Amino acid sequence: MSIDPYYRVRAIHSFVQETLHDVGPAPAQPLIKAAVAAVIENPFAGRWEQDLSPLTLPSASLGTELGRRAVALLGGRPVESYGKGGMAGIAGDQEHLVACVTTVFGDAFRDAVGGGKAWISSASKVAVAGASIDIPLAYKDEVYVRSHYDAITITLPDAPRPSELVVIAAVATGGRLNARVGGMTVADVLARDAS
């Protein structure tokens, strides 16, 4: 594991959701969503700290490792969508988690999944162990591709403990199955970028 030792990692959880069919025509390929969550100690739990840069500075290592693991869960299929986020335990605050998933994390995560031109959608909150969070997903090269607006729901029965953070990276192989509400498409983005 190549996560910076500054982060005291208690556990890593991996999730895969493979949808073979939904209402309407069956897809040519199943939609695979995957996420990896690192449960780490929150060094600022229980106290106010103005400078959260110690959480941010080594976060590229989190982005790289979680991204690498998430891609592996797709079984060789390329990443089309991505998202990030997580939860802070109740002895911490939301900014502690956000400090872990800023641009430093995001750029490394983007590189680990094979690139992307769009900003990475994110969600964060303070929660107790067993809480759920929906990590938003969006098309990796253009956030306004409506067919790829989606999410993956993550629940960890034993995390976050009060003095922990759960940092999550998520990917998907495509957009919603049978998306049909219009808007910009992947084909539009590819044509725009080719011109």
Side-chain angles (χ1 to χ4, degrees), residues 22 37 41 46 62 66 71 83 85 137 156 169-170 181 185:
D22 206 345
E41 180 180 287
L62 281 171
L66 300 185
V71 168
L137 295 165
L156 303 176
V181 293
T185 66

Side-chain angles (χ1 to χ4, degrees), residues 87-99:
M87 299 177 282
I90 60 172
D93 68 58
Q94 191 172 0
E95 287 300 289
H96 298 157
L97 187 282
V98 173

Side-chain angles (χ1 to χ4, degrees), residues 48-158:
W48 167 261
E49 179 63 53
Q50 178 64 36
D51 180 10
L52 300 180
S53 63
L55 285 169
T56 302
L57 295 174
S59 64
S61 68
L62 281 171
T64 298
E65 182 68 14
L66 300 185
R68 181 188 68 75
R69 288 173 180 245
V71 168
L73 296 173
L74 298 182
R77 293 187 57 201
V79 171
E80 276 199 20
S81 295
Y82 51 31
K84 63 181 180 170
M87 299 177 282
I90 60 172
D93 68 58
Q94 191 172 0
E95 287 300 289
H96 298 157
L97 187 282
V98 173
C100 295
V101 294
T102 66
T103 304
V104 176
F105 172 96
D107 287 346
F109 174 40
R110 187 179 286 110
D111 289 345
V113 303
K117 299 174 185 172
W119 56 273
I120 305 169
S121 298
S122 183
S124 59
K125 67 181 188 178
V126 174
V128 297
S132 295
I133 187 166
D134 292 337
I135 300 297
L137 295 165
Y139 183 55
K140 69 180 184 66
D141 290 321
E142 173 56 72
V143 75
Y144 296 112
V145 172
R146 191 174 296 155
S147 60
H148 286 55
Y149 294 169
D150 205 350
I152 183 170
T153 302
I154 304 300
T155 304
L156 303 176
D158 68 339

